[in-house]
Amino acid sequence: MSQPRSRGRAVLRHLAAPALALAVVATLPAATRPAPTPVADPWAALAPVSVSYAKPLGGEVKGNFLSYNDFHGAIDPPGGSGATVNGTPAGGVEYLATWLKRLRAEAKAEGRTSTTVGAGDMIGASPLVSAAFHDEPTIELMDEIGLQVSSVGNHEFDEGINELIRLNKGGCHPVDGCQDGDGFAGAKFTYLAANTVSKKTGLPILPPVDVKLVGGVPVGFVGVTLEGTPGIVNPAGITSVTFKDEVETANKWGGLLKLFGVKAMVLLVHEGGAQSPPPSAPGVSDCANFSGPIVDIVRGLRPEFGLVVSGHTHRFYSCSLPNSAGQQSVVTSAGTNGQLITDVDYSLDRRSGRFTGISARNVVVENGIRNADGTWQQSAPGVFARNPELVDAGAKALSDKYRAAVAPIANRVVGRISADIVRDVRPNGESPLGDVIADAQLAYTAGDGAQIALMNPGGVRASLSYGASAGGEAPGEVTYGEAFSVQPFNNLVVTQTFTGAQLKNVLEQQFPGFNGQTAQRILQVSAGLTYSYASTAPAGSRVSALALNGTPVDPAASYRVTTNDFLANGGDGFTELAGGAGRTTAPGFDVDALVSYVGAGAPVVPGPADRITRLG
């Protein structure tokens, strides 16, 4: 870390356009989401994307964007089932740095100016090497590898508004201080948060826009997170802000940028979509059977947004989608964990300042050693060898500093497993690891009378791999660092009393349309709790055969139910879980429950993932 630096010039440079915009924003009406414009074939050109616009009126300027999203503090290469992208081992920040430098060099050789941008969730849900230092290592590494502009995502708010502001501006943590003793300077790159608005001031808490000059032509950036952020982060940390509609916000700030002469714009948005089969394994730069919230967002955007860099869904794609004018905007996502980089070439008209063409492809951040037969070298079954020739020295040196600092904690063996325990969900919405975590929390709170434990699926961040050996441990041994990667949020473990009728409502709220729920989220359940569901049944009547240890749940009886405090505070739309009585809080955090469980005796076996029955 470095001492907080003088940021005067940087602030002026990044805030010039936003400050001018803020001066007039109150005089302008709020933009509204435009009605969709009919398009003859809105799904044309859904392939590795290249879009041409009007012929230039003057000379052209060539530029390049390099983008990634949902990094989540993935300093080390992902392991287990997430180690590869379509079969290629990928990820790790020292490899990401190398591939970024290669792509910048390629762009420079073509006379293109590169700008490196992100679409949120750079931090949060991070492995211990970053999370132990409140994600300061990731902020420093993003600066080291050349990130320039990024939107915030929902995970930027995991520790609340004040902590996000600190990570942006610099300074020591208010409780833990500067843990490595040499200060923290904050982000050199610009975080954009156009639709995260202070209730007190009515203005964004961070800059809403940024502008870069490319060959003398201005290119504008607007950054937003998904409007639904309040439903998926701990409500306690965001009470001072509201999250505005993505389209209205983007169009409002885009209109102001245009007023100031910016005609080429990029939306950095932490919301996305996904490809669907066929084919069974879509390419990293394809757009096969594409759907998701980003489609409607793009459909409402001003046509000046020629490029939309998206995220949140952890999927890869490169699409062209119709905007409000019926023109095609290029829409990209680079998956997650720094395993891909989106390489975008574009051209600008010097006279009009508009995009004349945009093309995009995703590049795998390869980190392995290929055998002569095309396979990849492994140091142990399922553990890929890393290619030392692809390591960036600067990024590695900074990463190694934090790896060394956290190693005594991260590499401590805390328990054993009998086989891989994966977080991948079965068709019923249940996962083997979800079962294990729920069982762990039930065991952790048994002394408080807990009878049932429920776990939100989004809080299960990684699988437990039998063959993983980051700290040199034997196969099947689980380290604290591995357990933390599964549950990195440091949520509290709370137990409340619910009636059987309330418990039924909690489970009904797993499905859209019941008591304000907007998305289907199947809670992971502890041993002894069983039920069936039919997702196509009317809201409020989807759950049936609810029983505990084979006995039907009595609507009038009381039951002690354990969850993390994120759920207990109404997170993920589970407002029913905020209505319990007799709340008590266990010592430590949710990861401590998992550590206690895997270290309690015989190796832990994968959960059966058969406690929930899907009827339709």
Side-chain angles (χ1 to χ4, degrees):
M1 300 181 187
S2 56
Q3 293 291 341
R5 62 184 175 276
S6 172
R7 297 171 56 88
R9 292 189 178 183
V11 169
L12 288 174
R13 175 170 56 85
H14 289 306
L15 295 185
L20 182 57
L22 286 170
V24 299
V25 67
T27 69
L28 298 178
T32 58
R33 189 185 293 261
T37 302
V39 181
D41 183 7
W43 303 114
L46 298 188
V49 64
S50 181
V51 175
S52 296
Y53 301 105
K55 293 183 178 180
L57 301 174
E60 279 189 307
V61 173
K62 295 192 295 182
N64 170 257
F65 299 119
L66 300 175
S67 66
Y68 53 95
N69 49 276
D70 297 274
F71 182 74
H72 289 295
I75 292 172
D76 296 324
S81 60
T84 67
V85 175
N86 283 10
T88 299
V93 72
E94 55 259 63
Y95 304 97
L96 177 62
T98 293
W99 286 96
L100 284 169
K101 287 182 177 180
R102 287 187 176 187
L103 293 171
R104 289 178 189 130
E106 290 178 9
K108 184 177 181 180
E110 296 174 359
R112 298 182 181 275
T113 300
S114 282
T115 307
T116 304
V117 302
D121 278 9
M122 298 294 114
I123 59 174
S126 303
L128 190 62
V129 66
S130 184
F133 304 95
H134 297 281
D135 277 322
E136 293 171 11
T138 294
I139 296 295
E140 291 186 335
L141 280 160
M142 294 302 95
D143 289 336
E144 170 70 22
I145 68 177
L147 181 64
Q148 294 168 271
V149 188
S150 178
S151 70
V152 294
N154 56 286
H155 281 286
E156 265 77 13
F157 299 94
D158 280 350
E159 294 192 46
I161 296 295
N162 292 338
E163 176 64 0
L164 172 59
I165 299 298
R166 182 189 75 85
L167 288 172
N168 184 63
K169 292 184 176 180
C172 298
H173 189 272
V175 175
D176 294 330
C178 288
Q179 293 166 278
D180 67 349
D182 63 1
F184 174 63
K188 295 178 184 177
F189 67 90
T190 304
Y191 256 136
L192 302 181
N195 68 333
T196 307
V197 175
S198 166
K199 292 178 181 178
K200 181 178 180 180
T201 67
L203 299 174
I205 61 167
L206 292 172
V209 302
D210 199 4
V211 178
K212 305 292 186 187
L213 292 178
V214 180
V217 179
V219 176
F221 301 86
V222 178
V224 298
T225 186
L226 70 157
E227 184 183 9
T229 291
I232 53 177
V233 302
N234 199 319
I238 56 171
T239 56
S240 64
V241 297
T242 58
F243 293 84
K244 302 295 187 180
D245 179 86
E246 304 97 329
V247 173
E248 292 181 7
T249 300
N251 285 340
K252 178 176 72 175
W253 289 104
L256 289 166
L257 286 171
K258 186 175 181 180
L259 182 66
F260 303 142
V262 180
K263 305 294 178 61
M265 302 178 200
V266 178
L267 179 63
L268 308 175
V269 53
H270 192 69
E271 181 59 290
Q275 302 186 70
S276 299
S280 58
V284 296
S285 298
D286 291 348
C287 194
N289 300 300
F290 188 78
S291 63
I294 196 65
V295 176
D296 285 336
I297 290 174
V298 175
R299 186 178 287 126
L301 291 178
R302 307 172 61 97
E304 289 87 1
F305 286 106
L307 175 64
V308 177
V309 179
S310 65
H312 187 55
T313 58
H314 291 194
R315 305 299 180 88
F316 45 69
Y317 47 82
S318 175
C319 299
S320 62
L321 301 176
N323 56 43
S324 66
Q327 300 172 6
Q328 297 292 310
S329 294
V330 173
V331 183
T332 68
S333 175
T336 184
N337 289 333
Q339 293 181 298
L340 291 165
I341 300 166
T342 306
D343 182 18
V344 181
D345 288 340
Y346 65 93
S347 55
L348 299 165
D349 185 338
R350 283 191 181 276
R351 183 176 298 179
S352 70
R354 301 181 185 277
F355 287 118
T356 58
I358 303 174
S359 62
R361 62 176 181 135
N362 279 327
V363 177
V364 178
V365 179
E366 177 186 315
N367 63 27
I369 303 172
R370 193 183 293 272
N371 295 314
D373 62 359
T375 61
W376 298 94
Q377 289 186 24
Q378 298 185 37
S379 57
V383 180
F384 293 95
R386 309 298 180 195
N387 189 343
E389 295 181 1
L390 294 175
V391 170
D392 178 81
K396 184 178 187 301
L398 184 52
S399 300
D400 283 349
K401 168 187 173 181
Y402 292 105
R403 289 169 179 148
V406 81
I409 300 171
N411 295 336
R412 178 171 59 91
V413 174
V414 296
R416 296 178 295 162
I417 56 177
S418 66
D420 289 348
I421 306 180
V422 300
R423 68 171 185 152
D424 307 72
V425 297
R426 305 279 173 81
N428 65 347
E430 197 175 348
S431 76
L433 186 51
D435 283 359
V436 168
I437 291 172
D439 290 347
Q441 294 188 359
L442 180 61
Y444 197 63
T445 54
D448 195 18
Q451 300 162 276
I452 298 163
L454 305 172
M455 176 63 191
N456 55 306
V460 186
R461 303 303 298 187
S463 299
L464 285 174
S465 174
Y466 182 83
S469 185
E473 70 276 11
E477 291 185 330
V478 177
T479 65
Y480 182 82
E482 290 167 345
F484 190 89
S485 292
V486 173
Q487 292 189 270
F489 295 109
N490 277 341
N491 287 319
L492 302 175
V493 181
V494 301
T495 304
Q496 304 178 86
T497 299
F498 294 88
T499 65
Q502 287 177 305
L503 177 61
K504 168 77 157 45
N505 283 343
V506 167
L507 298 177
E508 292 287 359
Q509 206 169 28
Q510 297 175 114
F511 307 100
F514 184 79
N515 287 3
Q517 182 60 273
T518 59
Q520 179 168 307
R521 297 183 176 95
I522 303 299
L523 295 169
Q524 309 299 289
V525 301
S526 57
L529 186 70
T530 57
Y531 70 92
S532 301
Y533 74 87
S535 59
T536 56
S541 60
R542 291 166 175 150
V543 173
S544 60
L546 178 58
L548 180 60
N549 298 320
T551 301
V553 167
D554 181 352
S558 294
Y559 299 87
R560 291 288 282 169
V561 180
T562 294
T563 67
N564 57 46
D565 66 328
F566 166 73
L567 282 175
N569 292 336
D572 270 353
F574 285 97
T575 55
E576 294 288 335
L577 282 170
R583 179 186 292 206
T584 56
T585 302
F589 301 106
D590 51 359
V591 68
D592 297 315
L594 181 60
V595 165
S596 175
Y597 191 71
V598 298
V604 172
V605 302
D610 63 356
R611 299 163 183 173
I612 303 170
T613 300
R614 178 181 176 181
L615 302 177

